Amino acid sequence: MPDWSSDALRALSSTEEVRLATRRRDGTLRNPRIIWVVTSGRRVFIRSTNGRAAAWFTAATATGAGRLQARGAAYDVTFTEVDDEGDLALADAGYRAKYAHYASIVDHLEEHGPRAATLEVHPA
């Protein structure tokens, strides 16, 4: 799997919100959704506040591909589900550090439903 460039990691870690468009089976992009994104080292994570039933999450897991837009740049990406407790803890810490000023939302993101809807994002 390709690795994130330093510029891409800076863009993703320094912006509060990104646009995520998941790919349909035919390769076209769905309408983008605004989500939060966190980094841990050279890894990138996203999480669905509405859990696994969220439309964007089910689409992301169905095709495993999409596009992130941050700071004027677009990144074609793939997704893998995160279920390892250590990796989930990395994502938790990323959300806690980056979005600490939204403590109640971060608390919610650490609940079972949203936590079970964590994806690692990889450059395509």
Side-chain angles (χ1 to χ4, degrees):
M1 229 174 259
D3 201 15
W4 287 103
S5 70
S6 295
D7 288 341
L9 285 170
R10 269 192 298 281
L12 294 171
S13 66
S14 67
T15 189
E16 189 160 286
E17 298 175 331
V18 298
R19 292 187 177 276
L20 168 69
T22 55
R23 289 206 181 274
R24 295 180 181 92
R25 293 202 185 278
D26 68 4
T28 60
L29 291 169
R30 289 182 171 81
N31 290 330
R33 301 287 185 257
I34 295 174
I35 63 168
W36 287 354
V37 61
V38 297
T39 60
S40 179
R42 301 197 68 78
R43 298 176 73 186
V44 175
F45 298 98
I46 57 176
R47 184 173 280 176
S48 170
T49 189
N50 294 316
R52 299 181 66 83
W56 76 260
F57 184 86
T58 57
T61 56
T63 62
R67 179 175 290 158
L68 283 182
Q69 295 174 331
R71 301 218 175 262
Y75 308 97
D76 287 323
V77 296
T78 61
F79 311 106
T80 55
E81 291 195 57
V82 177
D83 57 10
D84 176 79
E85 185 57 39
D87 292 341
L88 290 167
L90 289 175
D92 290 345
Y95 280 102
R96 186 69 51 196
K98 185 173 181 180
Y99 300 104
H101 53 288
Y102 299 111
S104 64
I105 298 171
V106 173
D107 289 345
H108 170 69
L109 288 172
E110 291 180 344
E111 292 173 1
H112 175 72
R115 202 167 189 255
T118 303
L119 298 174
E120 185 167 356
V121 184
H122 311 276

